Amino acid sequence: MRVVLQRVRHASVKIGGRLKSEIGPGLLILLGIEEADGPDDVNWLVKKCAAMRIFDDEAGVMNRSVLDIEGNALVVSQFTLMASTKKGNRPSYIRAAGHATAIPLYEAFCRELSAALGRPVGTGEFGADMQVELLNDGPVTICMDSKNRE
């Protein structure tokens, strides 16, 4: 399971021109899921995302988490994070999980993150053509893969 974690001033998702979700200051999380992923990957990444200290403290040092600032989160499924680009110029998505695996894990990630933050998280719509807008703050962008825990 992979995430691209972005510190944002605001972010939103539109589907077919209609606003699905929007947040103020917090995290935009792009989530990629592969067939080998399971509940342990969800748990590990939720804890890391909620506790990642990428927000400024009073001294301007990145020392606060989204929990500390009582920030928001928007989680968008993105199978393209699982792309393999080793051969040729057309990415292969063979590692990306199919709907039967990915949807329950995406929903579990959103539920667990909501519980960890103590507030609802914004979501996209799995499999939809989404337009994501954000104002990356910093910019701060962190990539994490649950298969690279050490």
Side-chain angles (χ1 to χ4, degrees), residues 2-142:
R2 292 180 181 162
V3 297
V4 174
L5 187 68
Q6 298 179 334
R7 183 178 80 178
V8 298
R9 297 235 176 138
H10 59 82
S12 65
V13 175
K14 291 181 181 176
I15 302 169
R18 299 170 115 186
L19 183 66
K20 170 75 167 89
S21 296
E22 66 181 336
I23 62 166
L27 299 174
L28 171 62
I29 302 172
L30 304 176
L31 178 66
I33 301 167
E34 67 178 332
E35 284 295 337
D37 290 330
D40 288 345
D41 299 286
V42 171
N43 296 336
W44 186 80
L45 277 174
V46 164
K47 288 176 185 172
K48 292 295 278 187
C49 290
M52 189 64 53
R53 298 184 322 180
I54 59 172
F55 294 90
D56 293 346
D57 62 15
E58 302 77 26
V61 176
M62 285 194 285
N63 202 27
R64 301 180 84 201
S65 70
V66 68
L67 280 166
D68 296 331
I69 68 157
E70 298 180 359
N72 300 293
L74 174 57
V75 183
V76 176
S77 63
Q78 190 169 356
F79 78 94
T80 59
L81 288 178
M82 304 317 296
S84 173
T85 57
K86 291 180 181 180
K87 290 174 39 178
N89 293 318
R90 183 174 184 175
S92 169
Y93 303 107
I94 198 164
R95 286 185 52 209
H99 284 68
T101 300
I103 291 173
L105 290 174
Y106 171 74
E107 291 172 348
F109 184 94
C110 293
R111 272 193 318 275
E112 287 192 29
L113 184 60
S114 178
L117 298 179
R119 66 183 54 80
V121 299
T123 62
E125 183 178 310
F126 193 91
D129 180 16
M130 298 175 274
Q131 291 70 53
V132 180
E133 294 183 10
L134 68 139
L135 180 58
N136 193 318
D137 186 17
V140 175
T141 302
I142 308 289

